[in-house]
Amino acid sequence: MNTDKNKLLQYIAILLLVFLSNAGRAQYYTSGADPASIQWYKIETENFKVVFPERFSEKGQYIAKVLEEIYKSGGNSLNHKPRKISVLIHSETAYSNGFVTWAPKRIELYSTPHQDMYAQDWLQQLGIHEFRHVVQIDKLNTGFTNMMSYIFGEQAVGAVLGMYVPMWFLEGDAVATETALTQSGRGRSPAFEQAMKAQVLDKKLYSYEKAMFGSYKDFVPDHYEMGYQLVAGARAKYGKEIWESALFNTGRNSQGFTPFNSGQKKVSGINKVSLYKEVFGDLKQKWDEQNNQTNLSTYHPITSTDSRFVNFEYPLQLDTNLWVASISGPGEVRRFVKVNANGDYENILTPGNRNREPFSLWGHVLCWAQLEPDARWENRMYSVIKTYDLDTHKLNKISYKSRLFSPALHPDGKRIAAVEVDSDNSYSLVLIDKDSGDKVNEFSYGDNNYLFTPSWNKQGNKLVCIALSEKGKSIVVLNTETGQWQEVLAPSFKEISLARWGDQDDLYFTGTYSGKEEIYIIRNGEVFQLTQSKYGATSATVSENELVYAHYTSDGYQLVKTKIHEENWIPVAVVKDHSPKLYKTISEQEQEKPDFSSIDDQADYSVSKYSKWNLFQPHSWAPAFVNIEDTEVRQGISVQSQNLLGTAITTVGWNADPQYTHEKYYVGFEYQGWYPVLSMNMYMGDYQEIKEGFYVNATDTFYSSGVKNNRFRMETGISLPLNFSRTNHSVYLKPSVQYNLIKEPDYAVSREKYTMVGNYLRPVSSYNLNVEGLNDQSLEYSLYFHRLKYKAARDVAYRWGQVAELVYQHSPWGNINRGGIAGLFTRLYLPGIGKHDALRLDNAYQYKTMGDQSVSNNQYVFNTYGDYFTMPRGYIAQPNDKMYSFKGDYIFPLSNPDLTIPGVLYLKRINCNLFFDYSQTQSEIRYTSGQSNHHTQNYISTGIELKSEAHLFRFMFPVTIGYRVAELIHQNHQIKHELLLGLNISGFSIGK
């Protein structure tokens, strides 16, 4: 038990000393590597250093100007202008995102837009949102935090951020800023508020802890959605000064217990929990008033609602009373299903990783876009088109290494229309031959306007799309025979999406003119509202005067249908918006807003090469030697470095602990910029080989001079991480080779031999004893593989998958032979009885060959390597030449209590693990007489583990606190009790 207490203290010490706001691979967050072939360039502006691939040079100019324009006003409501920061652009990926991380501080932007964004240029969206995170974090670097940054470097600010600033504020404030500073933004989108609205009105206002950390039992809107409402609602009531005060006080007084809460309380007069209740209490009243002024449409449910929260989206008609839809939810892996008129559904196919965008269906063929990673480069990803024939069950890949989105099958089944984005952010609508995957035609709209979700008419000669320009979103139609475009709905900043053709030339789309997402129709150039819902209606499909759409409820999107009655249509000119409109108030609080109207991509800034050999960028340090992997903190010094490209990670340390003088100095380096990954760790120091003094053996007495010897230890390796994920499985392969060396030089010991003369020791002779140094070298080879089926958020473990690892280590060189060891490990995941249960079966086998031998007590003693695998739970390691090990675990969620002790504990989940472990060891004892004894021993343990996932003191990272009881069958059924502790610190970055 004392060991567990010490472990907990070490965790706390690490958090207090370093915390490492980006504790991921090599201690700090890295998004991975871009292709080695990229030539990098940079633009230096007054406030930013923008680094981008050569092909992105024009857009590099554009984004540099965008960022400088944002700088003028992006921090005004927090009363702060941040220091200069680096910006890294990833343009070789179809993944759309952006983030800010501290230590090293930087912005990383993924430049490809996606199909689910609001009415603003993607790079402008990214710039505003991510710059606001820079403002938030940089503002913390004041007062006590600033003093700590001299001691700890950039990680000091990251530590304060992680310990005190809630994630809901970080993301909610960034969303509020993107909304207040522009005519668009998520805060103006009714779909963005509908989850919180439905929860508050139909369920209840959850506890602050539950809203902050989520739940496995209930669906809880994320920190973006909840955070925006809370941040904007507080600003509307108390002014923008409330959050400026919170951040300023956090940075100035980070030595306190609740500086963020104290800071906002100076303005609001109440604590943050009361503020949370007050803001959502006000919103509940306004949302009720909005609903009271809505004349709800009648509809017939197709699918029933499920309290576990299930979404049915993007319905398309397959046959009479039969539809295809996408299903998702916290307990569901996103997949395609058939849904009949009774609401029963049948699985069709689970695709791979997809963006949130519609799919298409013509005849009995499904077509969709799927993200596909590059095998080696994490920051290169493709969006490829796939089809699936529901009759033949044949899955086809149409495009390769493409960047295509929202594909739409032509009625003739031979062509596919899709939105294409080049790596220089050139946008077009392309037609692709379904059989060959070749591009047969290409159309652009406007001045490189971005296009969304194309859809064919039944005749197959027209495509309807949503188009984005500097004036907002519009609906446009392309005649593919003439190449002519027609604008059928003028651009505006009202959110519109998912335009589709009806039975005739009518166009249906989702619009937000009423302050909610509803279904609208364009007939003969006029726009009418078709639905009035409590929370929202979207993604309509039409057949034979019947409208089928996704209707939002507090339990997720439900498929419903209704007859189209023209007498119930509402002209858009008379549609009223009764929503609370928080965005108006916070927008009025901004004295200055970005003006992007005159920004272009002309070369106004000078461009210079950026060398990928900028390998060292020290960012953090500490007056301690910190080992995150082994949860150790010792006296000493450590310095961390990570270059901007994320390819070179370096750690240098001095361990001042007198017990570790032989590893006093440490240098670690990893380079990910080449196809293979190179790593090297070196430890250097000295140690007292022989202390000065008298030594007595069986026959003589010696006086030896002291000898201090140097030691050098190195581990250097090469590995090749390969990601072959192409379907609904994560597939990963990693071969690696590592060379290990321990080097100690020869040394000599001066000795004097003494004998007893009377009552005194008298020297009789002296000589030097020469001792050969240590030259311990080994090679280790490993091959790791896994194939794991994607799991739902509520699953306790993978429910289907395989893991295998083959390892071998031996001593080919040096003056010490440790023999060799070979090991094979396999793991199999199988689904359990319950929906989220899992069965995990581990098998492991290792075999050792003997190295150098010596004699002790008439027995030969051999140098060997330590074990690769562990004994059954509860047993200590046992000497062996061969070992087989089996571990079986049945893991299931015992309870999702959502138990809250305000400010102290939020108990989110309790998992139960029933286990059975078995090992058999074989060993041989060899005697100098030539005899030998063979020993085979079996070890079995069974038991139960209870593990809780909890948040302590509102700390963002969950702590695992558990208990294990094991019965040791081969130790007289001894019962062993253990406390289990764990801290889940993953890579931490903010922003999307």
Side-chain angles (χ1 to χ4, degrees):
M1 189 66 71
N2 288 336
T3 300
D4 293 315
K5 288 181 179 178
N6 291 337
K7 201 73 161 179
L8 181 58
L9 291 174
Q10 288 178 332
Y11 283 135
I12 295 172
I14 287 176
L15 291 174
L16 293 177
L17 275 173
V18 198
F19 178 69
L20 306 180
S21 62
N22 312 299
R25 284 174 289 179
Q27 303 178 14
Y28 294 87
Y29 183 76
T30 171
S31 63
D34 294 80
S37 59
I38 289 180
Q39 298 297 314
W40 294 94
Y41 286 80
K42 68 176 179 178
I43 291 174
E44 294 271 3
T45 72
E46 182 181 356
N47 299 295
F48 301 93
K49 178 171 73 175
V50 183
V51 177
F52 48 86
E54 180 180 14
R55 188 173 176 182
F56 202 72
S57 293
E58 286 189 4
K59 287 298 180 181
Q61 291 280 346
Y62 176 78
I63 199 166
K65 297 174 188 177
V66 165
L67 289 169
E68 282 295 338
E69 180 63 25
I70 293 168
Y71 190 90
K72 299 174 185 177
S73 55
N76 288 354
S77 59
L78 288 178
N79 192 27
H80 186 70
K81 299 288 187 184
R83 300 160 182 84
K84 187 171 183 176
I85 191 169
S86 296
V87 182
L88 180 64
I89 309 295
H90 303 290
S91 65
E92 293 289 322
T93 177
Y95 175 65
S96 307
N97 205 344
F99 67 85
V100 173
T101 189
W102 227 251
K105 66 175 185 178
R106 66 199 188 277
I107 303 173
E108 295 194 31
L109 304 180
Y110 295 80
S111 60
T112 302
H114 56 88
Q115 292 280 290
D116 191 38
M117 64 184 195
Y118 46 88
Q120 187 172 23
D121 174 82
W122 174 242
L123 296 178
Q124 294 174 17
Q125 291 184 35
L126 280 178
I128 294 174
H129 189 99
E130 304 311 332
F131 177 72
R132 184 62 169 201
H133 287 315
V134 175
V135 174
Q136 296 164 349
I137 305 172
D138 194 73
K139 188 174 178 65
L140 294 173
N141 196 12
T142 186
F144 184 77
T145 305
N146 181 255
M147 182 186 73
M148 295 300 288
S149 68
Y150 287 102
I151 302 172
F152 295 106
E154 292 175 2
Q155 64 190 357
V157 178
V160 172
L161 176 76
M163 287 192 289
Y164 295 125
V165 184
M167 187 65 80
W168 60 257
F169 168 76
L170 294 170
E171 298 300 355
D173 177 66
V175 172
T177 302
E178 78 191 28
T179 302
L181 292 182
T182 69
Q183 298 181 72
S184 189
R186 278 171 281 188
R188 299 173 189 258
S189 170
F192 188 70
E193 76 171 14
Q194 66 187 10
M196 278 303 307
K197 180 180 178 181
Q199 178 214 297
V200 170
L201 295 186
D202 283 2
K203 308 277 185 179
K204 61 179 181 179
L205 183 63
Y206 294 142
S207 71
Y208 175 77
E209 279 79 5
K210 186 169 181 174
M212 187 174 181
F213 298 120
S215 168
Y216 291 108
K217 179 170 62 177
D218 300 307
F219 171 75
V220 177
D222 65 23
H223 42 263
Y224 290 84
E225 298 166 87
M226 186 275 275
Y228 167 73
Q229 304 295 337
L230 181 50
V231 168
R235 277 182 61 171
K237 186 158 190 173
Y238 295 105
K240 62 184 179 181
E241 296 77 16
I242 183 171
W243 303 122
E244 191 274 335
S245 176
L247 281 183
F248 178 77
N249 193 65
T250 302
R252 177 62 60 91
N253 301 302
S254 55
Q255 74 279 13
F257 288 107
T258 57
F260 184 85
N261 184 51
S262 300
Q264 71 80 26
K265 191 174 182 180
K266 291 177 182 179
V267 177
S268 69
I270 55 178
N271 64 35
K272 63 177 179 281
V273 177
S274 298
L275 181 68
Y276 162 73
K277 294 177 180 178
E278 182 179 80
V279 166
F280 282 102
D282 292 343
L283 282 171
K284 182 179 185 302
Q285 181 179 352
K286 293 174 182 177
W287 284 331
D288 275 328
E289 292 172 0
Q290 180 188 13
N291 279 340
N292 290 336
Q293 298 181 72
T294 303
N295 184 19
L296 299 178
S297 305
T298 59
Y299 59 82
H300 176 74
I302 298 175
T303 60
S304 58
T305 57
D306 189 327
S307 61
R308 295 170 299 180
F309 197 89
V310 177
N311 286 319
F312 291 91
E313 297 178 275
Y314 310 118
L316 293 173
Q317 187 161 30
L318 178 62
D319 286 311
T320 303
N321 290 325
L322 188 63
W323 299 269
V324 174
S326 170
I327 188 174
S328 62
E332 307 290 339
V333 177
R334 187 184 298 272
R335 61 195 187 276
F336 300 123
V337 293
K338 292 180 187 177
V339 183
N340 64 25
N342 297 321
D344 300 323
Y345 62 91
E346 172 189 342
N347 291 337
I348 297 175
L349 176 74
T350 302
N353 188 18
R354 298 182 62 228
N355 282 321
R356 192 172 187 272
E357 63 183 44
F359 56 94
S360 69
L361 172 71
W362 208 271
H364 283 210
V365 178
L366 274 174
C367 182
W368 68 93
Q370 181 172 305
L371 294 176
E372 192 170 277
D374 182 90
R376 168 61 183 91
W377 307 113
E378 295 89 343
N379 287 324
R380 176 189 275 167
M381 183 176 286
Y382 306 101
S383 181
V384 302
I385 295 176
K386 292 192 173 185
T387 62
Y388 180 76
D389 192 306
L390 277 68
D391 294 330
T392 65
H393 307 294
K394 185 176 181 180
L395 177 67
N396 285 321
K397 184 174 176 180
I398 307 301
S399 66
Y400 294 80
K401 295 186 177 181
S402 59
R403 293 154 63 95
L404 300 170
F405 304 91
S406 291
L409 271 169
H410 191 275
D412 65 11
K414 297 178 181 179
R415 288 177 290 168
I416 299 171
V419 176
E420 183 174 49
V421 181
D422 286 347
S423 57
D424 59 356
N425 274 38
S426 295
Y427 312 136
S428 60
L429 185 64
V430 297
L431 301 186
I432 295 170
D433 183 272
K434 177 175 170 289
D435 295 325
S436 67
D438 295 334
K439 187 188 301 185
V440 296
N441 216 334
E442 183 173 2
F443 307 91
S444 60
Y445 179 72
D447 184 16
N448 197 36
N449 291 353
Y450 188 63
L451 299 169
F452 300 80
T453 60
S455 176
W456 291 99
N457 64 353
K458 287 191 176 181
Q459 293 75 30
N461 63 342
K462 292 182 181 179
L463 281 162
V464 62
C465 305
I466 306 291
L468 174 63
S469 70
E470 69 279 359
K471 296 179 181 180
K473 282 185 175 181
S474 60
I475 297 181
V476 295
V477 172
L478 170 68
N479 186 318
T480 57
E481 295 174 352
T482 66
Q484 298 299 308
W485 292 91
Q486 177 190 5
E487 184 179 86
V488 296
L489 184 67
S492 77
F493 291 98
K494 284 290 185 181
E495 184 58 32
I496 58 173
S497 60
L498 300 173
R500 287 175 178 165
W501 295 94
D503 289 331
Q504 304 171 18
D505 282 337
D506 297 335
L507 289 170
Y508 295 81
F509 67 97
T510 302
T512 59
Y513 303 99
S514 69
K516 301 176 185 177
E517 279 199 324
E518 301 291 358
I519 308 300
Y520 290 80
I521 186 173
I522 302 175
R523 174 171 287 183
N524 299 323
E526 295 187 71
V527 181
F528 300 90
Q529 180 179 336
L530 301 188
T531 63
Q532 294 189 73
S533 62
K534 189 175 181 181
Y535 300 118
T538 185
S539 57
T541 187
V542 183
S543 178
E544 298 177 355
N545 205 42
E546 189 172 63
L547 190 71
V548 176
Y549 58 95
H551 171 258
Y552 192 80
T553 75
S554 57
D555 292 320
Y557 279 108
Q558 173 190 26
L559 293 190
V560 301
K561 62 181 179 180
T562 186
K563 290 292 183 181
I564 300 175
H565 298 293
E566 192 169 345
E567 63 270 17
N568 295 329
W569 295 3
I570 306 170
V572 72
V574 300
V575 171
K576 303 296 183 183
D577 181 352
H578 300 288
S579 62
K581 303 180 188 65
L582 285 176
Y583 60 83
K584 282 192 173 183
T585 304
I586 62 174
S587 182
E588 290 167 358
Q589 293 172 349
E590 300 290 345
Q591 300 300 313
E592 184 181 6
K593 298 176 183 178
D595 180 9
F596 301 118
S597 61
S598 61
I599 292 178
D600 55 33
D601 51 15
Q602 297 302 308
D604 295 338
Y605 289 112
S606 62
V607 178
S608 58
K609 283 193 173 183
Y610 183 82
S611 174
K612 65 181 68 177
W613 300 111
N614 289 319
L615 300 182
F616 302 105
Q617 182 183 334
H619 56 79
S620 298
W621 43 88
F625 184 85
V626 181
N627 185 329
I628 291 292
E629 293 182 358
D630 297 332
T631 61
E632 292 179 342
V633 177
R634 303 184 184 280
Q635 60 263 43
I637 297 173
S638 58
V639 179
Q640 288 81 31
S641 167
Q642 180 176 309
N643 69 338
L644 178 61
L645 299 181
T647 54
I649 301 167
T650 308
T651 305
V652 179
W654 171 56
N655 189 344
D657 191 326
Q659 298 183 64
Y660 285 82
T661 61
H662 58 290
E663 294 185 353
K664 186 183 299 183
Y665 305 102
Y666 166 72
V667 177
F669 179 76
E670 181 178 84
Y671 185 68
Q672 302 180 32
W674 290 335
Y675 212 75
V677 175
L678 308 179
S679 63
M680 182 171 61
N681 297 301
M682 295 185 294
Y683 306 83
M684 294 152 283
D686 53 30
Y687 64 101
Q688 195 72 39
E689 179 74 50
I690 295 176
K691 293 182 179 180
E692 186 173 9
F694 283 97
Y695 294 85
V696 180
N697 62 22
T699 59
D700 298 301
T701 298
F702 296 95
Y703 186 87
S704 292
S705 59
V707 174
K708 205 168 189 180
N709 203 11
N710 294 316
R711 167 179 279 211
F712 172 79
R713 181 162 72 91
M714 180 177 68
E715 303 163 350
T716 182
I718 181 170
S719 62
L720 187 58
L722 298 171
N723 185 349
F724 295 117
S725 304
R726 299 292 181 268
T727 59
N728 58 341
H729 288 74
S730 169
V731 181
Y732 182 80
L733 178 69
K734 183 180 179 180
S736 60
V737 178
Q738 181 169 299
Y739 168 73
N740 305 306
L741 169 68
I742 301 176
K743 188 81 172 178
E744 296 175 5
D746 300 342
Y747 64 90
V749 182
S750 176
R751 282 189 166 182
E752 287 190 274
K753 181 178 178 181
Y754 285 78
T755 188
M756 186 68 71
V757 179
N759 293 325
Y760 298 96
L761 285 172
R762 301 294 185 192
V764 295
S765 62
S766 62
Y767 61 95
N768 286 330
L769 176 64
N770 295 314
V771 180
E772 183 182 8
L774 177 65
N775 182 13
D776 185 358
Q777 302 182 58
S778 67
L779 281 173
E780 184 173 6
Y781 318 87
S782 69
L783 180 63
Y784 172 85
F785 170 81
H786 76 230
R787 182 177 181 272
L788 302 170
K789 192 172 184 179
Y790 296 145
K791 63 188 184 75
R794 288 183 177 139
D795 293 343
V796 293
Y798 293 101
R799 289 168 49 81
W800 176 254
Q802 305 84 35
V803 180
E805 184 171 21
L806 181 64
V807 289
Y808 176 65
Q809 187 173 6
H810 66 129
S811 304
W813 309 295
N815 61 6
I816 182 170
N817 179 15
R818 300 185 183 277
I821 179 172
L824 174 64
F825 170 82
T826 64
R827 170 172 288 175
L828 176 64
Y829 288 101
L830 296 169
I833 299 172
K835 183 172 182 178
H836 303 296
D837 303 359
L839 178 63
R840 185 176 64 204
L841 304 175
D842 292 354
N843 284 276
Y845 177 77
Q846 68 181 30
Y847 176 83
K848 299 177 184 178
T849 57
M850 303 298 107
D852 294 334
Q853 68 178 28
S854 58
V855 176
S856 175
N857 297 326
N858 298 321
Q859 296 180 14
Y860 289 112
V861 179
F862 297 92
N863 272 333
T864 60
Y865 288 104
D867 293 333
Y868 276 141
F869 310 115
T870 59
M871 297 288 289
R873 277 160 276 199
Y875 289 95
I876 61 174
Q878 300 294 323
N880 66 86
D881 302 333
K882 301 176 186 177
M883 182 170 70
Y884 166 74
S885 177
F886 169 83
K887 293 184 177 181
D889 296 84
Y890 189 86
I891 314 168
F892 60 97
L894 186 65
S895 175
N896 301 315
D898 295 346
L899 174 67
T900 302
I901 303 176
V904 178
L905 171 72
Y906 176 58
L907 182 58
K908 194 172 178 181
R909 171 175 261 189
I910 301 174
N911 289 337
C912 183
N913 182 9
L914 305 177
F915 67 85
F916 173 87
D917 294 356
Y918 166 79
S919 286
Q920 182 184 84
T921 62
Q922 297 180 29
S923 58
E924 180 182 8
I925 300 176
R926 302 176 188 177
Y927 297 96
T928 55
S929 63
Q931 294 180 322
S932 62
N933 288 333
H934 295 267
H935 292 274
T936 300
Q937 183 66 50
N938 296 319
Y939 303 88
I940 297 176
S941 69
T942 62
I944 185 171
E945 293 175 344
L946 296 176
K947 294 182 180 179
S948 66
E949 181 180 328
H951 293 266
L952 301 178
F953 307 110
R954 294 180 178 145
F955 183 56
M956 72 167 63
F957 294 117
V959 175
T960 297
I961 304 174
Y963 168 73
R964 176 192 294 155
V965 57
E967 181 182 6
L968 311 186
I969 305 300
H970 287 84
Q971 286 190 1
N972 298 319
H973 296 274
Q974 175 186 347
I975 304 297
K976 188 166 185 178
H977 304 269
E978 294 179 81
L979 179 65
L980 308 174
L981 294 173
L983 180 64
N984 181 15
I985 298 182
S986 58
F988 173 47
S989 61
I990 55 176
K992 179 177 179 181

